[in-house]
Amino acid sequence: MRLRVAMVLALLAAPGLAGLVAPRWLPPLLSAMPAEARQPGAAQPTPPAAAAPARPAAPQEREAVVANELGLPLRELYIAPAGSVEQGPDRLGEDSLPSGAALRVPLGRQRLCLFDVRVVLADGSAEEKRGVDLCRSSRVTFGDPSAPLREATVVNDTDLALRELYAMPSGAPGRGPDRLGTETVAPEATTRLRLGRARECLFDLTAVFEDDTVEERRRVDLCRNSRVSFGDPAIPWREAEIANGTGRAIRNLYAGTATGTANGTGAAGRSGAPAWGHDRLGPVMVEPGTTFRLRLRSRACQLDLRVVYDDETAEEKPGADLCAGTSILFDGSGIPRPPERAFTLLNRHAAPVQEVYASATDDTDWGEDRLPGGALERGARAEVVLRSACEIDLRVVFGNGGAEERRGVNICDTALIVLRPGWVLAERLDQGAGTLEQGPPREGSVRLRNAGPAPLVELYVDAVGAPRGPDRLGSTVLGRGETLDFAPPEAVGCTGHLRAVFRDGREVDRPRFDLCSGTEVALP
């Protein structure tokens, strides 16, 4: 523009152009220009120099005032620059921030304005605000003080302890934090579930019990009904006194049915076996001679009970009646034990055998000397009886202290063991015996002979009137023509109920069988 004005002034001052009329816009423009600039040929002013770049703002003292309007106390508070990977230290430390309170948190001298603020509530849930501009306003409010408080009374109507409890607005992803924390809710007990301030009414609740079973309540309207029950109060309670009549402590107690857990809602075990579920004793031990009150919910009166003793042995009571009001005694008679097995030693060594030791292959020591009557002389025989699986370890000791051992001897296949030079490596242990006749059964026992067409695979011997107990054969199979010397189990006595099952499905039932006859009895 100044260039145009200068050109017009020059033209007006030029010779021969006198009397030329100036444009209408020129006088106002000239009046607005400095006097020196209006003169033709005057030097034009120098444009101003460019402004220097602005310096960064000086660090300022920053603080955040965190207000809690969530309806629950805050147990953790984190403030970090926006976008930080690390959330920084917990600004509350050991303290908490009650609902309705505010906390002033100094952040020191900062050039930054934007911060991420995260809080963790007392129930484990978390809230976060990202990119908060603390330069514009230092107050950060979590929650809406106008929203109503949401609470619920949770009732445990099961016979299990409630271990975990989850609650989230319906449709929210996941089930959120465990609202119980380290607490549990005992059977028939209640707990107060505080959800803080929320406008939602519909919530999904999930309960996890001590046996890991899960129960859910979907879309519960806590605005209409703030009481939520888990379990079925219609299932009746069953009670029984469990008595320990053994000399060992009961460490675990289980109750179940062939269809699953005690109330019939669980999954059945393999082959219809009870699904035992959780330990009903918990940390309690039932010492010898004491009792324990078992209380549980069950639709049925008859349940299968199982106890585990402190020596790892177990005993079961199938079909125990919890509605009879009588004490249920565990006396050790139902502990599955290997049957008594007998084998004969024949000494064909040149020297007497002073001691004999026989023990199960998984035993940690040899046990007692099996020759309590004295040395086994050359050519003499001795019967050894022990409760064991078929395979045993055998050790013989001579008078000079020398010893011979053989591991994994199968006394179910070999009832005669000839002790002779090289017997520990021999393929057959009954060679070199000569003629050997089997003696009569031991006094107070009975010899069972399998006279049937198929192997005998299961043998049950129980007290008269008692339910069927454990299989007394265990892993043993009594082949055709084979015999087994059998002594009456503890707490059964000389008269017992004998049941034998053969591989072809045939069964033999002898309700009042003499177990102490000292004779041989053919089955079937």
Side-chain angles (χ1 to χ4, degrees), residues 187-396:
E188 297 186 285
T190 63
T191 186
R192 195 70 179 167
L193 175 61
R194 293 178 171 84
L195 299 171
R197 296 190 180 276
R199 299 193 181 279
E200 297 90 345
C201 288
L202 301 180
F203 284 81
D204 296 335
L205 278 70
T206 304
V208 181
F209 296 92
E210 61 180 322
D211 65 346
D212 294 326
T213 56
V214 178
E215 191 173 343
E216 295 182 345
R217 295 284 184 270
R218 294 288 184 180
R219 298 183 64 80
V220 178
D221 191 340
L222 297 183
C223 297
R224 292 188 175 183
N225 185 9
S226 62
R227 189 176 181 87
V228 184
S229 295
F230 287 95
D232 186 355
I235 300 176
W237 285 96
R238 308 296 185 195
E239 296 188 21
E241 186 178 70
I242 307 299
N244 183 3
T246 69
R248 66 200 88 179
I250 297 177
R251 189 185 65 198
N252 309 106
L253 171 62
Y254 304 93
T257 66
T259 57
T261 56
N263 59 22
T265 60
R270 290 178 297 177
S271 304
W276 293 114
H278 77 294
D279 177 17
R280 301 281 174 171
L281 290 182
V284 177
M285 294 278 283
V286 185
E287 299 296 333
T290 63
T291 61
F292 173 79
R293 196 71 182 173
L294 173 64
R295 189 167 186 267
L296 49 79
R297 285 192 185 274
S298 174
R299 301 184 188 278
C301 285
Q302 292 189 340
L303 296 177
D304 299 330
L305 302 181
R306 172 184 171 88
V307 298
V308 179
Y309 296 98
D310 56 2
D311 62 355
E312 304 299 335
T313 57
E315 185 176 6
E316 296 180 8
K317 296 284 186 183
D321 191 349
L322 272 67
C323 298
T326 58
S327 177
I328 300 175
L329 175 65
F330 284 88
D331 57 3
S333 60
I335 299 177
R337 297 185 303 162
E340 282 193 343
R341 307 187 192 279
F343 62 94
T344 301
L345 292 176
L346 174 59
N347 184 12
R348 292 300 190 193
H349 271 292
V353 174
Q354 294 294 129
E355 301 171 7
V356 171
Y357 299 93
S359 63
T361 55
D362 56 356
D363 286 347
T364 57
D365 56 58
W366 286 106
E368 62 183 6
D369 178 16
R370 303 289 178 169
L371 295 177
L376 180 62
E377 300 294 335
R378 180 182 180 185
R381 298 180 179 89
E383 186 181 51
V384 179
V385 180
L386 71 159
R387 289 190 180 275
S388 170
C390 287
E391 288 197 353
I392 67 166
D393 296 336
L394 185 62
R395 173 184 173 87
V396 298

